[in-house]
Amino acid sequence: MKKKTKILSAVLLTGTVLVGCGNSESTENQSAAGSEGNGQAVTLSFAYELPSDHPWGHGAERFKEIVEEETDGQITVELYGGGQLGGTGREIQEGAQVGTIDIGISSTPMAQLNPTLDIFSLPYIFQSREHAWEVLDGEIGQQVGDKLEESNLKHLAYWEDGFRQVTNDRTPITSPEDFQGLRIRVPESNVRMETFNALGASPLPMAWSEVFTALQQGTIDGQENPLSVIHSASFYDVQEYLTITNHVYSPATLFMSEEKWEQLDEEHQDIILEAAAAGRDVNREMNQEQDEALVKELEENGMEVTEITDMQAFQERTQPVWSIVTDELGGEAEEIINSILETQ
């Protein structure tokens, strides 16, 4: 009886294979569709830690609009801004890895999963926003982004935090020497820590949700973030000095649970990528347009603004950080850095 059962199973299996060979494209599409293949509607959660009025939030709204429109409502995107599904970028990353979050966006903490991203956070490696976009949207950016698949995440696009600036409540900063002893909050990033160590500050990693209270209570003297974040977080209420340092351009990675990505059919995957690029453009354009206006608004809210005139002094002081990254990541990092420098 067991022998007959095995023979019958083999026949059925052969028949299945033959049917599949007769229409391989159909079989591939069904496999790619996964749970979507039954025609049921799909709901995707999209989480980010910053407020909904931040450029990330506006980019997310554009993403949602395109996905729902282009899929004729077959895919619904539910937005969870302001840390509703994770108070930090790290928590959002972990949620997407285990499947409790479908889509997320995170900036500096992404290097914990993909250390090669630290290259993009090297001080003064990008000369301008346009230079950063050229690198991130090209082969170099894709090469680095694809490494996320090792962490069960699908890289969708690089959005941005933008160029980061420094605020503090102790002194105007006009030279690297002015950083001496300042307790500066930084994200959980070895590169960021080493950057401010090189400047003579005392960098302290801290969760984003704790920063305002720490500034208010004097636990830390200052922090570093893009202007859009400084404004939306109302740091002008607890910080007197703003310095335009442009010390690092901070990309933000839009990513998706690899498992959820593989459940979508190819057409819907293309729509997700299209929406990711459109949301990216909204995010970047809004950041760029806001920066000049935000400096004025922050001044109006009582901050004293200083723009660095001798940038070379800051570049020279932070140059050793580059060696730290290449020592940790090896030859591939040197090749990527050289490729970025060639694009200048």
Side-chain angles (χ1 to χ4, degrees):
M1 177 64 70
K2 290 182 178 179
K3 185 175 182 180
K4 288 183 179 179
T5 302
K6 289 180 179 178
I7 293 173
L8 179 59
S9 298
V11 171
L12 290 173
L13 179 60
T14 303
T16 301
V17 171
L18 289 172
V19 171
C21 290
N23 190 354
S24 61
E25 183 178 353
S26 174
T27 303
E28 289 172 3
N29 287 342
Q30 288 174 7
S31 174
S35 63
E36 194 187 33
N38 56 20
Q40 294 182 351
V42 175
T43 299
L44 300 177
S45 57
F46 184 143
Y48 56 97
E49 62 185 302
L50 293 175
S52 58
D53 62 351
H54 182 271
W56 282 7
H58 290 273
E61 289 285 355
R62 182 60 177 148
F63 177 92
K64 170 182 171 70
E65 177 185 336
I66 289 178
V67 169
E68 294 180 351
E69 183 178 303
E70 295 295 323
T71 64
D72 295 323
Q74 290 181 318
I75 298 179
T76 300
V77 179
E78 294 183 346
L79 302 179
Y80 297 92
Q84 294 178 68
L85 296 186
T88 66
R90 184 174 186 173
E91 290 173 355
I92 292 170
Q93 294 164 198
E94 292 171 348
Q97 283 182 286
V98 300
T100 56
I101 292 172
D102 298 319
I103 299 170
I105 184 169
S106 180
S107 54
T108 307
M110 289 303 297
Q112 297 161 357
L113 299 180
N114 183 2
T116 313
L117 281 167
D118 271 338
I119 294 170
F120 300 149
S121 292
L122 287 173
Y124 303 105
I125 193 169
F126 294 121
Q127 295 181 323
S128 65
R129 268 195 166 93
E130 291 74 18
H131 180 213
W133 299 344
E134 178 185 354
V135 171
L136 295 171
D137 298 342
E139 293 182 7
I140 298 172
Q142 192 63 51
Q143 174 186 347
V144 175
D146 285 346
K147 293 180 182 294
L148 277 182
E149 294 179 9
E150 300 170 10
S151 299
N152 198 36
L153 296 176
K154 169 66 178 178
H155 169 80
L156 300 178
Y158 292 104
W159 291 17
E160 73 167 27
D161 272 347
F163 279 102
R164 300 177 80 93
Q165 321 300 349
V166 175
T167 69
N168 83 96
D169 203 38
R170 278 179 50 185
T171 182
I173 295 173
T174 59
S175 69
E177 288 71 27
D178 294 325
F179 274 105
Q180 192 64 43
L182 284 180
R183 296 167 297 174
I184 302 291
R185 178 268 175 181
V186 296
E188 296 180 72
S189 162
N190 185 48
V191 171
R192 204 64 52 77
M193 290 273 291
E194 293 298 339
T195 296
F196 282 91
N197 276 327
L199 289 169
S202 298
L204 300 170
M206 181 181 295
W208 169 249
S209 57
E210 302 171 5
V211 177
F212 189 92
T213 301
L215 292 170
Q216 191 174 42
Q217 295 177 346
T219 306
I220 53 178
D221 301 312
Q223 60 81 53
E224 51 92 49
N225 258 301
L227 292 173
S228 59
V229 177
I230 292 169
H231 183 267
S232 64
S234 301
F235 284 151
Y236 47 79
D237 287 334
V238 289
Q239 298 275 267
E240 185 173 353
Y241 304 104
L242 164 65
T243 307
I244 307 302
T245 54
N246 287 334
H247 56 279
V248 65
Y249 173 85
S250 181
T253 299
L254 184 71
F255 53 86
M256 186 171 183
S257 159
E258 181 73 20
E259 182 178 354
K260 182 67 73 171
W261 170 261
E262 291 176 351
Q263 290 174 1
L264 301 178
D265 62 34
E266 186 175 344
E267 179 184 358
H268 285 173
Q269 288 178 345
D270 288 342
I271 291 171
I272 291 290
L273 291 175
E274 175 191 345
R280 173 201 68 198
D281 293 344
V282 168
N283 164 229
R284 289 176 176 178
E285 182 178 356
M286 189 173 183
N287 265 337
Q288 190 172 31
E289 290 179 352
Q290 280 187 346
D291 273 3
E292 186 174 342
L294 286 176
V295 169
K296 184 177 180 181
E297 286 188 35
L298 292 166
E299 283 182 314
E300 291 173 350
N301 278 284
M303 298 193 83
E304 180 180 324
V305 180
T306 302
E307 187 165 352
I308 300 299
T309 55
D310 182 14
M311 198 66 75
Q312 184 176 352
F314 288 83
Q315 293 170 334
E316 291 175 354
R317 186 68 68 89
T318 57
Q319 188 65 39
V321 180
W322 290 36
S323 298
I324 293 173
V325 171
T326 54
D327 289 345
E328 289 180 354
L329 299 179
E332 183 185 22
E334 292 185 15
E335 292 177 5
I336 293 173
I337 289 172
N338 287 336
S339 296
I340 292 174
L341 296 179
E342 287 173 5
T343 63
Q344 292 181 354

